[in-house]
Amino acid sequence: KRHAAARALGDLAATAFQTSHWANDHDAVRCEFNMDYFLRDMPRRSMNGVISPRVTIDSLGKAHRAQLFRYLHDRLAPSSVQAILSVDPKYGRLKELLESVEFFLTVERRILQRKQDSSLQTIEDVATGHGLVAHLLAAQYYPHLQVTSSDIVRRDSWNAWSMAFANAGCPTPQFRLCDAQHIKLTNTTLLVCVHGCDDVNKIILDKAKVANAPWISMPCCLKATNYIDMQTSKGSRSSWTPLTDDMRYIFLCGALARQFDATAVDIIDSRITARSIV
């Protein structure tokens, strides 16, 4: 029965693939997606082994494109897949796509765990950047949850994703032009943030703590003085010397989790991003 179900899923994905403009004659779309196999021959950054940000969806060969379609088909709503397939190619960076989908899936799992909690009304995506996470959330949860996307600048990539999702018939998030200091949260708002740099993460988590708002963050640059007392812990700059960059990141994520009473920790594949703790 398991093999029959797997074949049926493969046939379903293959049919959808052949009707998309990504269509080709490769049978990889029939196989269950495997991240190890998919990333095996992918160009990487030499310093940390992460997918090169220069790899675009358009640059993928037949097999990788078929596998990527299967990855999206099995995880996202058909309209979201259609939007991703149709985005302006120059904004279809593979690293950003995988990073955003993996983070979205983490948020989705946490929302499902709170499904008995009917108090949640809005999702606020702070420091939204290219905005793909916010668009995936809006496509999945509107009108049950209103999604707002905020940043200090509205990027061309945000507009490109918004157009792609709208053309696919998906609801799109509202964009708010403001910095993290001016975000207003209540306990009915889920705060999400992907790679908020420098002080942004600290500012919004302080606001979430005051408002008793749930939050999900994948930190990027973490300033040590925001999360540990450098004086009482003898944490001079030289004290960090024995730590690698990865060790420092893990250590500070732990300090952040303790300071803001995190109730769960997730991680996405560190080959997608070096800053992978959620």
Side-chain angles (χ1 to χ4, degrees):
K1 289 182 179 180
R2 184 182 301 173
H3 292 310
R7 282 197 301 272
L9 286 173
D11 290 344
L12 191 64
T15 300
F17 183 57
Q18 293 306 327
T19 57
S20 76
H21 73 270
W22 277 15
N24 63 55
D25 57 1
H26 207 287
D27 279 343
V29 71
R30 294 184 180 275
C31 301
E32 187 176 354
F33 180 82
N34 182 290
M35 189 69 79
D36 291 335
Y37 181 77
F38 181 73
L39 296 179
R40 186 174 58 187
D41 301 320
M42 203 65 67
R44 311 280 187 86
R45 280 181 162 178
S46 58
M47 60 181 178
N48 55 19
V50 170
I51 301 171
S52 169
R54 295 183 179 181
V55 178
T56 61
I57 297 169
D58 250 20
S59 70
L60 298 178
K62 284 185 176 182
H64 276 114
R65 191 172 290 208
Q67 291 166 41
L68 181 59
F69 182 91
R70 181 62 187 269
Y71 168 83
L72 298 171
H73 177 271
D74 289 354
R75 289 160 177 79
L76 303 177
S79 55
S80 293
V81 176
Q82 182 183 339
I84 291 168
L85 266 58
S86 64
V87 73
D88 185 328
K90 69 179 177 180
Y91 300 114
R93 297 184 181 91
L94 182 64
K95 178 183 180 296
E96 291 179 354
L97 173 60
L98 293 176
E99 187 177 81
S100 298
V101 172
E102 290 295 307
F103 182 81
F104 162 77
L105 294 172
T106 300
V107 175
E108 186 176 46
R109 286 195 298 273
R110 295 302 172 192
I111 290 177
L112 286 173
Q113 288 171 2
R114 294 173 56 100
K115 62 183 178 181
Q116 303 301 326
D117 180 4
S118 59
S119 65
L120 207 60
Q121 297 177 6
T122 59
I123 301 175
E124 183 81 37
D125 179 24
V126 181
T128 190
H130 52 70
L132 178 52
V133 169
H135 283 86
L136 288 170
L137 289 168
Q140 179 72 7
Y141 291 108
Y142 182 86
H144 176 60
L145 297 173
Q146 301 286 328
V147 180
T148 301
S149 188
S150 62
D151 212 327
I152 57 174
V153 63
R154 181 165 169 163
R155 298 184 188 180
D156 290 342
S157 51
W158 195 98
N159 293 331
W161 282 115
S162 190
M163 181 180 295
F165 274 81
N167 288 343
C170 300
T172 57
Q174 175 189 354
F175 185 86
R176 181 184 296 130
L177 191 66
C178 68
D179 61 26
Q181 293 279 12
H182 293 92
I183 296 294
K184 295 181 179 179
L185 300 175
T186 71
N187 61 2
T188 63
T189 299
L190 171 63
L191 169 71
V192 300
C193 183
V194 178
H195 293 167
C197 292
D198 297 326
D199 292 323
V200 169
N201 211 65
K202 175 71 162 56
I203 291 168
I204 59 173
L205 292 184
D206 278 336
K207 287 178 174 289
K209 193 169 186 177
V210 170
N212 196 29
W215 57 271
I216 303 175
S217 173
M218 185 159 67
C220 182
C221 310
L222 292 172
K223 190 182 293 184
T225 51
N226 281 336
Y227 305 103
I228 60 175
D229 188 332
M230 300 296 279
Q231 299 300 318
T232 60
S233 64
K234 299 181 182 179
S236 64
R237 184 171 295 274
S238 61
S239 300
W240 293 102
T241 304
L243 300 184
T244 65
D245 184 62
D246 287 344
M247 290 175 180
R248 183 181 184 278
Y249 175 67
I250 294 168
F251 179 87
L252 289 175
C253 281
L256 179 155
R258 174 66 183 87
Q259 181 175 336
F260 292 101
D261 304 318
T263 58
V265 176
D266 282 292
I267 189 165
I268 71 171
D269 197 308
S270 59
R271 294 168 296 182
I272 297 172
T273 175
R275 301 300 191 236
S276 56
I277 296 176
V278 182

